[in-house]
Amino acid sequence: MQNTFFTPGPAALFPTFEKHLKTFMDRQLGSISHRSQQYRDLHRFTVEQLRMLLSIPDTHQVLFLGSASETWERILLNCVEHESFHLVNGSFSKKFYDYAHALHKFAHVYEKPMGEGFDFAEIEVPEYAEVICITHNETSSGVQMPVADIHKLKAKNPDKFVAVDMVSSAPYPALDYSLIDTAFFSVQKAFGMPAGLGVWIVNEACLAKAERLRKYDSLTIGAHHDLPTLWKNALKYETPATPNVMAIYILGKIAEDFNRIGIETIRKETEHKAGLLYNLVKKHNNFDAFVKIPRHQSQTVVVANTKKESSAVISKLKEKGLIIGSGYGEFKGSQVRLANFPATSVAQIEGLVKALGEV
Ligand SMILES: *Cc1c(COP(=O)(O)O)cnc(C)c1O
């Protein structure tokens, strides 16, 4: 029996993944030089499809890294001289903050308990913070930050960088890149691919800062994947190190598939499927939504408290070939996490809702 994965990452593979993998093999793309025109054309195709899908303007570059968590370090090294500011409400936003400490930055934090979200009006940005680090979708707790609030933060703090972790939501959030300096994701969540590639979207202002910081003796922007070197290579549709050609190729093809479906359709369908899941969780006696305030409820990762041990629910569903996520950290035994990414169809989510209803 083939399982269906509703796990929040690694997640279900997008249905066309296998076809694209086969084409990659048939065309022997795993052996081409990463300094060849054939590679540059492949790289360019992926960047162009992502630009179209996410409305990324020419002021921003699209760069390829090893993972999303690598991007945390790249942003902190290249865009922060002294101080960063972090909105923390779960494990992933906390790790971004921890990276800042590890890199000897002075990190400010506004922290909320797991399950709670942030609203623009309550956020006080420290005067000397250089970058505001926001997690659009906190995967550990199923909390999202409304995109309008993220945009307002930049409008109110135009002299600071706004950095958005959209790892477990992209391409869902409709970010306006005139108000976002940098954003990033990895491919094993909503893009429905195996892990191994991070995508870093970053603007010219960040590049200018990295070039300035690079000249300081008292500071390092790092040796591996520093922003000016990444950028210089990206202008030629290349990468400094030998890249993950397979993932870059398949990401381009899946982004093309998403473009064919249409981003508006993907967003609407995401909201429709999330509605089905939240409805079930609300109605059913065995569950309730962990995130109480609707505007903070993630559309891509639904987290539910379970009456019984969550392992009982998880194994009941597993018997039917439905694989769902457990709670994160301290909530492992008392919650389930249900991914709602483009790879799972309305029919599959309806099947999951039915199966959960019968638990
Ligand atoms: C998964 C995840 C990450 C880490 O991504 P990696 O590809 O494992 O580095 C970072 N932030 C969020 C919100 C995530 O869900």
Side-chain angles (χ1 to χ4, degrees):
M1 178 179 65
Q2 283 278 323
N3 290 321
T4 309
F5 286 84
F6 299 92
T7 43
L13 298 180
F14 196 68
T16 57
F17 173 81
E18 193 172 339
K19 180 182 86 183
H20 298 318
L21 179 63
K22 187 165 182 307
T23 312
F24 179 84
M25 293 295 295
D26 292 345
R27 292 177 56 195
Q28 294 189 290
L29 295 173
S31 305
I32 66 170
S33 164
H34 59 297
R35 304 294 175 216
S36 66
Q37 190 57 41
Q38 194 180 6
Y39 172 75
R40 287 191 287 269
D41 291 346
L42 177 164
H43 181 125
R44 180 180 186 149
F45 179 82
T46 301
V47 170
E48 285 173 353
Q49 291 299 324
L50 289 173
R51 283 192 185 283
M52 191 187 302
L53 183 69
L54 303 173
S55 299
I56 304 167
D58 290 341
T59 46
H60 290 59
Q61 194 53 266
V62 179
L63 306 171
F64 298 115
L65 304 179
S67 71
S69 41
E70 185 193 336
T71 322
W72 292 333
E73 179 162 307
R74 299 292 152 252
I75 290 170
L76 291 161
L77 283 174
N78 287 275
C79 310
V80 179
E81 182 176 354
H82 300 295
E83 302 189 18
S84 58
F85 174 52
H86 302 258
L87 299 179
V88 173
N89 60 348
S91 307
F92 290 98
S93 45
K94 172 77 165 40
K95 280 189 199 164
F96 200 169
Y97 174 57
D98 292 341
Y99 271 45
H101 286 292
L103 295 169
H104 297 182
K105 305 298 177 187
F106 188 90
H108 302 267
V109 64
Y110 177 38
E111 191 161 9
K112 287 210 170 177
M114 296 261 293
E116 292 184 23
F118 296 100
D119 291 313
F120 165 73
E122 63 184 358
I123 298 167
E124 283 183 44
V125 180
E127 188 177 355
Y128 295 108
E130 296 152 66
V131 56
I132 306 170
C133 301
I134 300 162
T135 303
H136 170 257
N137 192 70
E138 179 45 82
T139 321
S140 62
S141 61
V143 174
Q144 76 175 21
M145 179 146 174
V147 163
D149 284 35
I150 298 176
H151 291 157
K152 281 185 206 158
L153 267 176
K154 178 66 181 185
K156 197 181 168 197
N157 300 277
D159 59 325
K160 305 190 188 305
F161 291 140
V162 165
V164 182
D165 176 333
M166 54 170 180
V167 179
S168 57
S169 53
Y172 174 71
L175 296 181
D176 172 354
Y177 285 93
S178 69
L179 295 167
I180 305 292
D181 298 281
T182 179
F184 53 94
F185 62 90
S186 45
V187 296
Q188 76 276 19
K189 313 260 167 117
F191 279 84
M193 291 172 55
L197 183 68
V199 177
W200 186 16
I201 300 157
V202 58
N203 73 2
E204 287 159 344
C206 291
L207 173 67
K209 179 142 187 188
E211 282 173 340
R212 182 161 66 76
L213 298 186
R214 182 159 63 168
K215 299 196 182 100
Y216 293 178
D217 290 333
S218 56
L219 191 93
T220 178
I221 60 169
H224 182 60
H225 282 172
D226 69 87
L227 180 53
T229 307
L230 281 164
W231 193 293
K232 198 172 132 215
N233 278 267
L235 293 175
K236 298 180 287 183
Y237 299 102
E238 290 185 14
T239 53
T242 319
N244 185 342
V245 181
M246 184 168 72
I248 293 171
Y249 170 75
I250 295 177
L251 176 61
K253 298 312 263 183
I254 288 182
E256 182 184 36
D257 295 333
F258 284 4
N259 280 321
R260 277 204 199 103
I261 297 165
I263 188 65
E264 281 317 315
T265 303
I266 289 176
R267 287 175 180 148
K268 279 207 194 93
E269 196 169 293
T270 299
E271 287 163 6
H272 172 65
K273 292 184 299 173
L276 297 176
L277 291 169
Y278 281 114
N279 229 353
L280 174 275
V281 159
K282 198 159 106 186
K283 277 204 268 183
H284 199 289
N285 283 335
N286 284 340
F287 304 102
D288 74 284
F290 180 45
V291 181
K292 302 296 179 233
I293 299 176
R295 70 176 175 281
H296 294 153
Q297 287 177 337
S298 168
Q299 299 298 294
T300 52
V301 181
V302 174
V303 178
N305 297 321
T306 56
K307 277 261 159 58
K308 302 177 214 150
E309 263 292 302
S310 66
S311 58
V313 179
I314 292 167
S315 51
K316 264 271 170 309
L317 289 186
K318 192 160 183 235
E319 287 167 16
K320 299 179 180 174
L322 306 174
I323 312 298
I324 61 171
S326 65
Y328 201 95
E330 63 178 302
F331 296 103
K332 189 172 172 58
S334 59
Q335 293 182 346
V336 291
R337 289 182 304 149
L338 313 167
N340 174 34
F341 296 149
T344 46
S345 64
V346 176
Q348 285 172 322
I349 293 287
E350 284 169 348
L352 174 65
V353 165
K354 182 162 178 285
L356 284 167
E358 289 163 2
V359 166

